[in-house]
Amino acid sequence: MLKIQHLKKHFNQLEVLQDIDIEIFQGEVTCIIGSSGSGKSTLLRCLNLLEQPTEGKILYKDKDITTDYNVNELRTKIGMVFQHFNLFNNLTVIENCVIGQVKILKRNRKEAEDIAYQFLSKVDMLRFADTKTKQLSGGQKQRIAIARALCMSPELLLFDEPTSALDPEMVQEVLEVMRQLANEGLSMIIVTHEMGFARDVANRIIFMDKGVIVEDAPPEEIFNNPKNERTRTFLKRALDTYKIN
């Protein structure tokens, strides 16, 4: 589905990504873990060109999106759910879910609304359709952000630490929506510090450190028998912090 080859990203003299090579497969749930500053979010933002890579290729269905691809079209195929929601707070919930469909996908209003209602129902937010998003809680906003992304019919959905801005009691409601999407076979790449979720839901864990992929393996291998000392050190600290069983 995606093939990343020799990807590098520099911000001036700071090398944030160093020679990243990975393949992402249809129907796979990949969780990317690692300390702050390891390059996780930058990698994610490069995959739908929110950040332009410095070097390397990103092949989406064998076409290099870094050289010749319509960005708006790309972002309908590779959707994004952000840490801080990125909703239009002056619009209602339904308007947030309709506007991209009408402007970018050129759907008519009735079709866009029908699709929006479908996905708002899926994330249990249908009753808030006519509410301004600024009136809602963080967990509710994040569920709307997920519904909005789904309305664009993505083939791959990227999540950039989707629970890190939420109060603890709101985290589970968002993770539950993501579990449901994983069970339905949606292709997802998730940057997360939720170790229990990553262990239970992912098909694959990528551990990043200092801009490189240190380890890439199924969850049972990463959590039970990590090969690299940096992975072991990170997981010991993370598991002690988040107390997963």
Side-chain angles (χ1 to χ4, degrees):
M1 191 175 200
L2 269 185
K3 188 178 292 186
I4 296 97
Q5 299 177 331
H6 304 296
L7 190 71
K8 298 182 181 181
K9 177 62 181 177
H10 302 169
F11 293 101
N12 297 320
Q13 300 304 309
L14 179 63
E15 191 173 32
V16 179
L17 297 177
Q18 304 178 46
D19 204 25
I20 301 292
D21 277 288
I22 52 173
E23 291 187 38
I24 302 297
F25 299 95
Q26 184 81 35
E28 191 173 62
V29 177
T30 301
C31 282
I32 304 177
I33 63 174
S35 301
S36 296
S38 60
K40 310 182 301 297
S41 292
T42 300
L43 172 58
L44 210 65
R45 292 172 66 86
C46 284
L47 297 185
N48 70 351
L49 301 183
L50 286 168
E51 295 288 353
Q52 185 67 38
T54 306
E55 294 181 33
K57 296 181 178 180
I58 302 172
L59 302 176
Y60 172 66
K61 296 188 173 179
D62 297 322
K63 185 172 182 179
D64 185 4
I65 64 174
T66 65
T67 58
D68 180 26
Y69 212 98
N70 181 290
V71 171
N72 284 336
E73 181 183 347
L74 175 70
R75 290 175 188 163
T76 67
K77 302 300 184 185
I78 304 177
M80 185 88 157
V81 176
F82 298 88
Q83 180 178 350
H84 293 288
F85 326 128
N86 283 31
L87 297 172
F88 297 107
N89 282 325
N90 60 321
L91 299 181
T92 63
V93 167
I94 191 69
E95 289 293 340
N96 268 275
C97 293
V98 163
I99 189 169
Q101 297 185 68
V102 172
K103 288 185 176 294
I104 297 171
L105 297 182
K106 307 303 181 185
R107 289 174 178 157
N108 65 55
R109 176 78 190 196
K110 175 66 165 59
E111 181 187 11
E113 286 186 351
D114 287 347
I115 291 169
Y117 288 133
Q118 172 191 339
F119 286 114
L120 287 173
S121 178
K122 188 181 194 69
V123 301
D124 195 26
M125 289 298 294
L126 187 57
R127 64 192 182 279
F128 296 103
D130 296 319
T131 304
K132 290 284 183 69
T133 55
K134 63 185 177 184
Q135 297 174 287
L136 302 177
S137 71
Q140 290 169 332
K141 288 179 180 179
Q142 195 60 291
R143 282 187 283 160
I144 293 162
I146 294 171
R148 179 182 63 177
L150 292 171
C151 284
M152 303 300 285
S153 306
E155 296 179 353
L156 173 64
L157 199 48
L158 312 177
F159 292 82
D160 187 10
E161 301 200 27
T163 61
S164 62
L166 302 180
D167 293 333
E169 64 269 22
M170 296 175 182
V171 168
Q172 289 307 315
E173 66 183 47
V174 172
L175 292 181
E176 191 52 45
V177 170
M178 295 169 65
R179 287 178 197 273
Q180 180 184 349
L181 295 175
N183 290 337
E184 293 170 1
L186 180 66
S187 305
M188 299 192 287
I189 305 176
I190 305 164
V191 170
T192 185
H193 61 259
E194 299 288 344
M195 295 296 116
F197 173 83
R199 182 192 62 184
D200 295 342
V201 174
N203 307 112
R204 172 186 184 187
I205 305 286
I206 292 173
F207 170 64
M208 291 186 66
D209 186 58
K210 297 179 181 177
V212 301
I213 293 176
V214 176
E215 205 154 340
D216 179 356
E220 56 270 20
E221 290 186 29
I222 290 285
F223 285 100
N224 298 331
N225 188 30
K227 302 293 190 295
N228 192 283
E229 179 60 35
R230 281 186 284 176
T231 315
R232 289 194 288 272
T233 301
F234 169 80
L235 285 174
K236 184 178 188 308
R237 184 173 66 249
L239 299 183
D240 286 347
T241 300
Y242 297 109
K243 301 285 191 278
I244 77 164
N245 297 315

